[in-house]
Amino acid sequence: MNFSELIKQRQSNRSYQSKPVEQEKIEQCLEAARLAPSANNAQSWTFVVVDEPELKNRVGESVARLGMNQFVNQAPVLIAVVVEKPIFLTRLGSMVQNKDYPLIDIGIAVEHICLQAADLGLGSCIVGWFNENDIKKLLNIPRDKRLALIVALGYPKDVPREKRRKLREEVIHFNRY
Ligand SMILES: Cc1cc2nc3c(=O)[nH]c(=O)nc-3n(C[C@H](O)[C@H](O)[C@H](O)COP(=O)(O)O)c2cc1C
């Protein structure tokens, strides 16, 4: 698959087979995340892989309890992404520029995971809607840290969909806004 095809192939999968994900493929997704760019190369992230079925189900049940994201339970692997305190330069930059660089960085790293997953024939879904405190407790994530996102990973059951996106003219301008 070439890169343009990969971009089109990746979609948010909300239905998964029970087939487990090979450890090697999980490692490849994590390596893709580890190699992602970040402001000042600060890499202010930790990836917590949840693959123990019982613990994973408890996380999935917690996510599902909020009503949406019931599908998270089906995914055989979840990757929780914790925001780490950035290095001084990034903190300073974030303050001066009024931009949350660590969160931007985590968005990029998470997309690396999803693209690598798609390349390996896996499905994924980025999940941002969950009871953060509840899941932090389940995963022993310190209370003073933020849990930014969870990525669901597994062999997808849902079929490829057409992408629903804004028109090119709405989102792309050349030279002037
Ligand atoms: C930061 C972020 C948070 C998201 N949170 C959720 C979520 O909680 N539940 C969900 O089903 N999808 C979630 N998504 C997936 C988006 O809904 C999805 O990317 C968007 O609808 C485009 O569809 P596609 O990924 O299939 O191309 C999230 C995506 C991002 C980038």
Side-chain angles (χ1 to χ4, degrees), residues 10-12 14 68-69 71 125-129 149 161 163 165:
R10 189 228 45 91
Q11 65 178 11
S12 296
R14 299 188 177 90
M68 54 191 293
N69 294 330
F71 65 92
C125 188
I126 302 169
V127 176
W129 191 267
L149 294 169
R161 303 181 298 270
K163 293 245 176 278
R165 293 295 189 264

